[in-house]
């Protein structure tokens, strides 16, 4: 009986123990299942999806960048990504074959490819942005060797059809097609688009299943930018900046802006030297390359390379501040006239320097002997510092500082480019502490502003006092050219009255006609402008003889449409006394205006004097009689002489289509042979226009004069010629001679 009772107890204990173990076991399983199915549901679902599907990204096409006339400046070309599926590599021998073939075709390191074949996944990139020719070579290699592990993906690559055109403005993209500099970076949000996806079901062995198990999500292509830049005007600007950089042996850089004063649209912006957008990391500057090559270690080389690249990419008109010098006098003139503290006929005296109360040293004028007695108008034409000091002191520190702010010189313009710099200027407390600060501000020194700030401020003075926000993008368009968004011109504020603006324009036109801006004169056009020459005094002794020279102009003066600013940082070619805005920068602006104004359809309005010397096209007179040719030539104000006794003209000098000054004499050959011998081009450098013309004509050639030829100033001399001295050319060749006023110091 006792034994049975003991057995029963053991049985119950066993049952209870088994139940307890069962409950404990199921409790653990329940918790585990709860964690897997509830708490970690997303994690395990994702792993299942990854195991059962392959998700491939489809790159969108980056938006095209156009100029204002819909000429493509940046576009995307189709390229491919070559990748491998390591799980599908059939052994070490095939891995070595794949590595050898792909390294040879794509230029990728052999050992790196071998390492990728050893991984356990389905996607290892070998090379991105593979051009079609190389991709086709990989396809042939894959087919010839039956290599299922090699795969292809579609992609796009940024391409810039004009190379270095507007490089600092457009910018470029990185390896992942993301905008890194310029407008490519600013408008990344619109340009980049949205990637698509291809989701494919996979079998147990990792192979893709048939297309019925594939789902495709379309990529959304990026929007295109329609810029305010005009490709033709940009070419005009870049051509002249390149010329200025070379001829003036500029130590650092030259840069320029062409702006629509009525809308704030940037028509052109450039810096030279520049870089090729298709190879933006290639440094081209010889000085920089020499420094990199001379570096001792790879670390030093890479550091110098990085510094050279960053310097090369700097968009100087936006990111570098400088002392504007006398170009700022346009704004001081505007302030003085608006506040009615000065009139055009107010009398001043310049003795070469002036003392300012509280300052121990005289403040000098650029003309050492002084300008003597002069009116305010003459003071502006002469760019006389003492006159502007007096006007600045009349305006007073408080009002002057208010206008300085109103012209936007204490804030960034907000232009749609990355990295815009602010200005460097005194706080009002420091500015108002001494008259000397106001005195030197009045003629544009001891503060720094950016070129985009300056041209915006001066454009407001020209544009009826209305300041417009500068910008570079007009519209966003889809891939079919349909406008998705428009960026309208934006008025910032009214700075001065229209009456004052009109008066300023008349004054600044006279600066180009008879003042320090004569070298920017263009026959037939009313151009207003101002020179600027600022010595780099902040460099101390090392800045002696080093200048930033500039010229700013706008036209037509009676109804301004465009403004042009050009500056040269340290021109070292001319003698020190000629390193000035009037000598180095004004001719460049004049040449840009001469190209741009006719292109914009602005008709020239010639004076009687200009009409008498205007260039005309030589007509084709061959086969005509002298009596038929005579009225044609008289209509063009061309003289002529005949050679031979025939009835009809058989040849002529110069050839038809040549452009020569009116009143020039052409030679008509009547059944007489035209001379075939060449003539030597004389050297007319340094000659006055009359002497240069005589030397050219006596050599049997024709002279086309450009530059400062409209005045009779004693300093007008020939500075360059289109055909090198001593060159042998056919008789009757037209030689273009550029004239400058070499007396201009400011």
């Amino acid at each position: 009986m006792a034994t049975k009772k003991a057995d029963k107890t053991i049985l119950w204990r066993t049952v209870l123990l088994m139940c307890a173990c069962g409950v404990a076991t199921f409790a653990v399983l329940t918790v585990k299942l709860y964690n897997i199915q509830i708490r970690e549901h997303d994690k395990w679902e994702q792993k299942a999806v990854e195991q059962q599907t392959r998700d491939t990204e489809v790159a969108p096409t980056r938006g095209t960048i156009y100029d204002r006339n819909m000429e493509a400046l940046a576009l995307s070309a189709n390229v491919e990504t070559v990748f491998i599926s390591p799980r599908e590599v059939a052994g070490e021998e095939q891995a070595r074959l794949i590595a050898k073939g792909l390294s040879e075709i794509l230029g990728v390191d052999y050992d790196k490819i071998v390492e990728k074949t050893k991984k356990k996944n389905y996607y290892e990139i070998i090379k991105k942005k593979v051009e079609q020719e190389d991709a086709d070579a990989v396809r042939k290699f894959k087919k010839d060797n039956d290599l299922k592990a090699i795969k292809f993906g579609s992609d796009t690559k940024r391409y810039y059809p004009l190379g270095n055109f507007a490089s600092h403005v457009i910018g470029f993209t990185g390896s992942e097609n993301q905008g890194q500099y310029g407008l490519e970076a600013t408008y990344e949000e619109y340009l980049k688009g949205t990637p698509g996806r291809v989701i494919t079901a996979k079998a147990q062995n990792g192979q893709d299943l048939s297309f019925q198990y594939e789902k495709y999500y379309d990529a959304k292509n990026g929007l295109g930018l329609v810029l305010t830049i005009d490709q033709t005007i940009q070419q005009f600007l870049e051509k002249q900046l390149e010329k200025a950089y070379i001829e003036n042996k500029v130590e650092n850089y030259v840069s320029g802006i062409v702006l629509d004063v009525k809308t704030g649209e940037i028509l052109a912006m450039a810096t030279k030297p520049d870089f090729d957008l298709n190879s933006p990391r290639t440094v081209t500057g010889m000085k920089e390359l020499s420094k990199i090559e001379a570096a001792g270690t790879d670390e030093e080389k890479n550091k110098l390379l990085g510094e050279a690249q960053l310097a090369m990419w700097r968009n100087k008109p936006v990111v570098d501040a400088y002392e504007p010098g006398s170009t700022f006098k346009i704004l001081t003139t505007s302030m003085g006239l608006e506040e009615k503290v000065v009139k055009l006929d107010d009398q001043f005296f310049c003795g070469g320097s002036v003392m300012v109360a509280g300052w121990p040293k005289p403040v000098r004028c650029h003309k050492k002997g002084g300008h003597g007695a002069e009116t305010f108008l003459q003071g502006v034409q002469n760019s006389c510092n003492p006159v502007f000091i007096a006007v600045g002191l009349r305006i007073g520190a408080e009002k002057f500082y208010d206008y300085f702010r109103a012209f936007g010189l204490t804030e960034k313009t907000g232009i749609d480019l990355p990295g815009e710099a602010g200005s460097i200027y005194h706080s009002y407390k420091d500015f108002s502490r001494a008259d000397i600060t106001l005195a030197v501000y009045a003629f544009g020194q001891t503060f720094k502003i950016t070129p985009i700030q300056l041209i915006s401020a001066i454009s407001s003075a020209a544009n009826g006092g209305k300041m417009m926000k500068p910008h570079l993008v007009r519209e966003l368009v889809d891939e079919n050219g349909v406008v998705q968004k428009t960026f309208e011109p934006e008025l910032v504020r009214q700075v001065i009255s229209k009456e004052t603006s009109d008066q300023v324009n008349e004054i600044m036109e006279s600066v180009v006609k008879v003042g320090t801006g004569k070298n920017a004169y263009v026959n037939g056009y009313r151009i207003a402008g101002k020179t600027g020459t600022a010595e780099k005094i902040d460099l101390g002794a090392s800045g002696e003889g080093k200048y930033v020279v500039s010229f700013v102009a706008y036209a037509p003066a009676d109804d301004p449409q465009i403004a042009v600013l050009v500056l040269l940082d340290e021109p070292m070619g001319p003698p020190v006394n000629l390193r000035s805005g009037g000598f180095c920068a004004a001719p460049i602006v004049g040449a840009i205006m001469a190209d741009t104004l006719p292109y914009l359809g602005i008709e020239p309005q010639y004076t009687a004097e200009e009409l008498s010397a205007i260039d005309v096209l030589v007509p084709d007179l061959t086969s005509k009689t002298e009596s038929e040719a005579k009225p044609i030539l008289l209509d063009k104000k061309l003289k002529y002489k005949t050679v031979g006794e025939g009835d009809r003209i058989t040849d002529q000098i110069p050839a038809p289509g040549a452009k020569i000054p009116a009143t020039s004499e052409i030679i008509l050959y009547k059944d007489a042979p035209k001379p075939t011998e060449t003539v030597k081009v004389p050297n007319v450098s340094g000659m006055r226009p009359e002497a240069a013309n005589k030397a050219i004509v006596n050599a049997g050639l024709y002279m086309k004069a450009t530059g400062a030829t409209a005045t009779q100033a004693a300093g007008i001399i020939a500075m360059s010629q289109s055909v090198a001295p001593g060159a042998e050319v056919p008789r009757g060749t037209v030689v273009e001679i550029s004239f400058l006023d070499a007396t201009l110091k400011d």
Side-chain angles (χ1 to χ4, degrees):
M1 189 73 178
T3 303
K4 286 184 179 180
K5 189 174 182 182
D7 289 342
K8 196 172 183 180
T9 301
I10 291 170
L11 176 62
W12 278 106
R13 286 177 179 174
T14 301
V15 170
L16 287 173
L17 182 60
M18 290 177 64
C19 288
C21 289
V23 170
T25 300
F26 279 107
V28 170
L29 289 173
T30 301
V31 171
K32 190 69 174 175
L33 286 171
Y34 176 81
N35 284 335
I36 291 173
Q37 293 186 333
I38 307 299
R39 296 180 63 184
E40 299 179 356
H41 171 270
D42 293 343
K43 169 186 171 183
W44 294 107
E45 182 181 57
Q46 180 64 29
K47 284 186 176 290
V49 168
E50 290 174 358
Q51 187 180 50
Q52 298 165 27
T53 63
R54 177 174 289 120
D55 186 353
T56 305
E57 185 177 287
V58 179
T61 299
R62 191 173 178 84
T64 300
I65 298 179
Y66 305 93
D67 88 328
R68 68 191 296 122
N69 300 311
M70 297 303 289
E71 296 290 336
L73 304 179
L75 40 83
S76 294
N78 291 326
V79 289
E80 298 191 55
T81 296
V82 175
F83 64 96
I84 61 170
S85 174
R87 288 227 176 200
E88 297 177 56
V89 176
E92 289 187 18
E93 186 177 343
Q94 189 176 89
R96 288 193 294 271
L97 175 63
I98 289 172
K100 182 176 184 298
L102 295 185
S103 65
E104 290 175 354
I105 298 170
L106 302 177
V108 180
D109 183 79
Y110 171 88
D111 292 330
K112 288 183 178 178
I113 299 175
V114 169
E115 284 301 312
K116 291 186 176 186
T117 64
K118 295 177 181 178
K119 298 194 177 181
K120 301 300 181 185
N121 58 4
Y122 295 94
Y123 188 82
E124 282 294 323
I125 294 174
I126 302 300
K127 188 174 182 179
K128 293 183 177 182
K129 314 295 182 190
V130 178
E131 302 287 353
Q132 196 62 53
E133 183 179 350
D134 289 339
D136 289 344
V138 173
R139 280 192 176 85
K140 185 175 185 306
F141 170 68
K142 173 181 177 175
K143 182 180 178 182
D144 291 347
N145 295 280
D146 192 24
L147 300 171
K148 293 186 173 120
I150 297 178
K151 313 284 184 180
F152 298 88
S154 62
D155 198 357
T156 59
K157 179 182 178 180
R158 206 59 163 164
Y159 175 63
Y160 304 92
L162 300 181
N164 64 339
F165 179 85
S167 56
H168 292 93
V169 173
I170 296 170
F172 53 90
T173 59
S175 60
E176 299 296 326
N177 260 4
Q178 77 280 19
Q180 290 195 324
Y181 277 86
L183 294 172
E184 291 275 28
T186 303
Y187 288 90
E188 170 71 6
E189 176 186 354
Y190 299 105
L191 288 165
K192 67 181 180 180
T194 305
R197 315 202 82 78
V198 178
I199 300 176
T200 308
K202 293 190 296 190
Q204 188 176 4
N205 62 1
Q207 294 289 330
D208 291 344
L209 295 177
S210 60
F211 67 90
Q212 62 184 309
Y213 298 103
E214 181 175 275
K215 193 157 189 179
Y216 186 87
Y217 298 91
D218 286 333
K220 184 178 179 181
N221 293 334
L223 295 176
L225 305 183
V226 180
L227 306 187
T228 61
I229 294 286
D230 186 300
Q231 182 176 326
T232 301
I233 299 175
Q234 181 77 21
Q235 288 171 338
F236 292 155
L237 176 64
E238 292 194 17
K239 176 184 71 174
Q240 294 301 329
L241 293 185
E242 187 74 33
K243 178 181 177 184
Y245 181 75
I246 295 169
E247 291 185 353
N248 290 283
K249 298 179 181 176
V250 176
E251 185 70 17
N252 294 325
Y253 66 88
V254 298
S255 60
I257 305 171
V258 182
L259 181 142
D260 184 324
V261 301
K262 295 188 181 298
T263 64
E265 293 183 339
I266 304 294
L267 302 176
M269 178 185 286
T271 295
K272 295 290 180 177
D274 51 22
F275 57 95
D276 187 343
L277 288 170
N278 295 305
S279 182
R281 287 169 177 77
T282 302
V283 175
T284 56
M286 295 308 298
K287 287 190 300 184
E288 292 79 6
L289 287 172
S290 297
K291 286 172 68 175
I292 294 168
E293 285 299 317
T297 65
D298 288 343
E299 185 180 353
E300 289 173 337
K301 287 181 188 292
N302 290 333
K303 181 175 180 291
L304 289 172
L305 174 62
E307 290 172 353
Q309 289 171 336
L310 289 173
M312 180 176 70
W313 297 333
R314 290 180 71 83
N315 188 3
K316 310 293 187 180
V318 173
V319 304
D320 282 0
Y322 76 112
E323 285 194 5
S326 294
T327 53
F328 185 84
K329 290 172 180 174
I330 295 177
L331 304 183
T332 303
T333 299
S334 302
M335 300 176 199
L337 294 172
E338 182 75 5
E339 288 300 307
K340 297 181 170 48
V341 298
V342 67
K343 300 189 295 295
L344 296 191
D345 57 0
D346 281 2
Q347 295 293 318
F348 296 86
F349 182 83
C350 171
S353 65
V354 63
M355 296 299 297
V356 177
W359 187 250
K361 300 177 183 178
V363 181
R364 302 191 180 282
C365 186
H366 66 88
K367 187 174 183 181
K368 289 184 178 178
H371 296 99
E374 56 188 339
T375 63
F376 175 62
L377 176 61
Q378 291 169 328
V380 179
Q381 293 167 349
N382 295 330
S383 195
C384 179
N385 286 350
V387 168
F388 280 90
I389 290 171
V391 172
L393 294 174
R394 289 184 189 182
I395 296 168
E398 184 177 354
K399 282 290 183 183
F400 190 99
Y401 206 80
D402 286 344
Y403 279 108
F404 193 81
R405 272 196 293 248
F407 277 118
L409 303 180
T410 61
E411 60 189 6
K412 298 177 183 179
T413 66
I415 188 171
D416 43 346
L417 280 171
E420 181 182 7
S423 45
I424 302 170
Y425 59 97
H426 294 77
S427 67
Y428 179 69
K429 181 180 179 182
D430 291 336
F431 178 81
S432 59
R433 187 171 290 163
D435 285 348
I436 187 62
T437 310
L438 171 58
V440 292
Y441 264 54
F443 58 85
Q445 291 190 357
T446 70
F447 64 91
K448 290 186 176 183
I449 57 178
T450 61
I452 190 64
Q453 284 178 310
L454 179 67
I455 198 170
S456 296
I458 287 174
S459 293
S460 69
N463 182 38
K466 295 177 181 177
M467 172 170 280
M468 306 301 295
K469 181 179 178 179
H471 62 285
L472 280 148
V473 175
R474 303 179 84 188
E475 297 169 337
L476 299 177
V477 297
D478 65 17
E479 53 199 298
N480 299 313
V482 179
V483 176
Q484 303 297 306
K485 183 174 182 177
T486 300
F487 297 92
E488 299 290 346
E490 183 179 335
L491 174 66
V492 179
R493 67 180 70 89
Q494 184 85 27
V495 186
I496 58 173
S497 67
K498 185 179 185 305
E499 293 72 24
T500 298
S501 173
D502 291 342
Q503 195 173 18
V504 169
N505 294 345
E506 289 181 16
I507 296 170
M508 295 307 155
E509 182 182 9
S510 74
V511 172
V512 174
K513 279 185 175 179
V514 299
T516 58
K518 287 195 290 284
N519 286 334
Y521 189 88
V522 178
N523 283 341
Y525 289 103
R526 297 180 62 179
I527 296 174
K530 188 70 192 72
T531 52
T533 306
E535 189 171 10
K536 291 189 170 183
I537 55 176
D538 55 333
L539 298 181
S542 64
E544 189 173 346
K546 295 180 179 180
Y547 298 88
V548 177
V549 303
S550 58
F551 192 82
V552 63
Y554 49 91
D558 57 336
D559 182 22
Q561 305 293 315
I562 63 167
V564 181
L565 170 64
V566 165
L567 63 91
L568 294 75
D569 190 353
E570 295 188 22
M572 306 305 287
V576 172
N577 66 320
L578 291 179
R579 293 174 191 170
S580 66
F583 186 80
C584 298
I588 303 303
V589 173
I592 294 166
M593 287 286 193
D595 286 335
T596 302
L597 293 172
Y599 169 75
L600 292 175
I602 299 172
E603 295 292 332
Q605 299 174 344
Y606 297 106
T607 64
E609 183 183 2
E610 289 169 342
L611 277 172
S612 67
I614 193 172
D615 292 336
V616 296
L617 284 174
V618 176
D620 186 355
L621 302 171
T622 54
S623 301
K624 296 186 183 300
T625 64
E626 183 179 346
S627 59
E628 291 171 336
K630 186 174 181 179
I632 297 173
L633 294 172
L634 287 174
D635 182 60
K636 290 182 174 290
K637 297 183 175 58
L638 290 171
K639 302 172 186 176
Y640 75 94
K641 72 176 182 179
T642 60
V643 176
E645 301 296 332
D647 294 329
R648 292 190 176 274
I649 299 164
T650 55
D651 219 329
Q652 66 185 75
I653 292 179
K659 217 171 185 182
I660 59 176
T663 72
S664 296
E665 182 178 73
I666 71 172
I667 305 172
L668 306 177
Y669 294 89
K670 300 165 65 176
D671 287 333
K674 183 174 76 171
T676 57
E677 79 277 6
T678 59
V679 297
K680 188 176 290 187
V681 178
N683 184 358
V684 299
S685 178
M687 292 185 182
R688 295 266 299 142
E690 300 82 0
N693 185 58
K694 183 176 181 181
I696 292 290
V697 171
N698 287 347
L701 304 168
Y702 290 85
M703 183 181 86
K704 179 185 177 184
T706 62
T709 59
T711 67
Q712 300 301 314
I716 303 291
I717 58 173
M719 294 303 299
S720 64
Q721 54 192 83
S722 62
V723 183
E728 296 280 346
V729 298
R731 183 179 293 275
T733 296
V734 179
V735 181
E736 184 175 313
I737 309 297
S738 177
F739 291 92
L740 295 179
D741 187 339
T743 65
L744 302 178
K745 305 297 183 186
D746 190 52

